[in-house]
Amino acid sequence: LQATLDVFKELNIEVVCTTDAQSDANKEVNDLETALALKPDLLLSMPYDVEVTKAAYQQYMDAGIPVVFMENASKDFVAGKDYVCVTNSDSYGNGKYAAMLLADAIGYSGTVAMVYYDADFFTTNERDRGFRDQMANYPNIEIVAETGFTSIDVVGTVADGLFAQYPDVDGVYASWDIPAEDVITSARSIGRTDLTGVDLGDNSAYMIANQDMYVGTACPKAVETGKIEAYVCAATLIGKEVPTYLCSSSQPVCYDNVLEAYE
């Protein structure tokens, strides 16, 4: 977000409001409707749930306000017609790097489990696909469980059930860092100290730096992504055509490069 705002400031683009739905699709709908009343020239937004939020975005399209999506868009909207484009990070690459790091952490042999976001959300769907595809390259590693969640509020319960069934699993993948933290809390409750997670945030970076539970992760280059989002918006505002899909790179993160990656 900050990288996007910095570019907007540099280009004299006024931001009339910013909102955070906090992973709540209904709150996002309310935020979108409130922002629409400000009559912006363009909307940059990430849909948390494409179905729940679809009607709210349609109001912008009906009003002739260009929409740039982050990460995801409803399949009912046509790129280049209903909306400008989708900007994303290399989600498939994130999943692939996560599998590579996890495989290395367990010595390329053993069992792993997945705790994944069970919803139609392109970013996490692609991460999960990349993880599965890469794990298929390791004949001595078996994915013994794929446990889905539809709300981050239930991840702890989901993880408790996972460890009750597979207390000796060698590693666990989670679709991003916040649910991974709940998986780690559950693992600690049964005395486990050797699991891994995916995605980079304050807590996961701290654990990687301290070689504590989170031995490695994969993450998007958030600053690069934020700048791309801002320049797409700027180009749209001055009438330039832009590609309907733009993707920034991702990177693996471990103890050796965590400080550089965090910056």
Side-chain angles (χ1 to χ4, degrees), residues 117-227:
Y117 184 43
D118 189 12
D120 182 13
F121 193 76
F122 179 79
T123 297
T124 54
N125 296 162
E126 283 295 283
R127 289 182 180 186
D128 301 340
R129 186 170 72 90
F131 181 85
R132 292 187 188 99
D133 287 354
Q134 184 62 28
M135 273 298 173
N137 295 319
Y138 308 123
N140 296 321
I141 298 178
E142 179 185 3
I143 299 178
V144 294
E146 296 189 20
T147 307
F149 64 91
T150 55
S151 169
I152 57 175
D153 296 330
V154 302
V155 175
T157 301
V158 168
D160 288 344
L162 170 67
F163 290 122
Q165 188 172 2
Y166 299 99
D168 298 321
V169 68
D170 295 302
V172 178
Y173 157 93
S175 295
W176 73 95
D177 59 329
I178 295 174
E181 290 176 21
D182 289 335
V183 174
I184 288 171
T185 297
S186 181
R188 291 192 195 280
S189 72
I190 62 169
R192 296 298 302 273
T193 59
D194 56 350
L195 299 175
T196 61
V198 179
D199 223 353
L200 192 67
D202 289 343
N203 292 338
S204 56
Y206 185 82
M207 282 189 279
I208 292 170
N210 281 277
Q211 297 181 302
D212 175 25
M213 293 286 275
Y214 234 119
V215 299
T217 187
C219 71
K221 294 184 177 179
V223 172
E224 179 181 285
T225 305
K227 289 181 178 179

Side-chain angles (χ1 to χ4, degrees), residues 23-25 28 46-50 53 57 117 121 150-152 176:
S23 302
D24 184 332
E28 183 168 44
M46 181 176 74
Y48 180 67
D49 183 308
V50 292
T53 58
Y57 288 116
Y117 184 43
F121 193 76
T150 55
S151 169
I152 57 175
W176 73 95

Side-chain angles (χ1 to χ4, degrees), residues 37 54 69 73 84 87 89 98 150-152 165-166 193 197 209 226 241 250:
K54 183 166 59 177
F69 283 119
V84 177
T87 61
S89 58
T150 55
S151 169
I152 57 175
Q165 188 172 2
Y166 299 99
T193 59
E241 289 190 16
S250 59

Side-chain angles (χ1 to χ4, degrees), residues 13 39 49 59-60 62-63 85 103-104 122 125 138 202 218 222 235 240-241:
I13 296 173
K39 298 181 179 179
D49 183 308
Q59 293 181 60
Y60 283 81
D62 292 343
C85 71
D104 181 69
F122 179 79
N125 296 162
Y138 308 123
D202 289 343
K240 284 193 171 185
E241 289 190 16

